[in-house]
Amino acid sequence: HAHWAHEQEVRILYDGNHYKLPQNSIRRVIIGSRASKDFLQEVSAVCAKRDIAVTKLGVRNGQLHAR
């Protein structure tokens, strides 16, 4: 999308299908502010095994920020 093109990111929405990506192509996963603690822990565990950074978004004063 043009609004985030400058950030050089790719957004993948999971619909139950599997995606084949080149190895080491994911450098960071950003978790939305409404994600459950269990989901965050599960994603973090998988990412830790693959040396992928995880960032959780939060909301402060009505604005999103990285935690």
Side-chain angles (χ1 to χ4, degrees):
H1 191 277
H3 293 295
W4 63 76
H6 69 281
E7 296 180 20
Q8 298 180 350
E9 71 181 48
V10 176
R11 295 181 183 207
I12 299 173
L13 303 176
Y14 180 72
D15 66 0
N17 295 314
H18 295 281
Y19 299 95
K20 291 192 178 212
L21 299 171
Q23 192 170 6
N24 299 322
S25 62
I26 298 175
R27 293 182 281 168
R28 180 169 60 148
V29 172
I30 300 172
I31 306 294
S33 62
R34 291 186 241 162
S36 71
K37 183 177 180 179
D38 289 341
F39 181 77
L40 175 62
Q41 289 175 340
E42 186 175 336
V43 170
S44 294
V46 170
C47 289
K49 292 177 185 176
R50 292 168 174 80
D51 198 28
I52 299 171
V54 176
T55 300
K56 172 111 167 67
L57 296 180
V59 178
R60 184 184 317 141
N61 298 324
Q63 299 291 320
L64 283 175
H65 67 94
R67 294 194 226 180

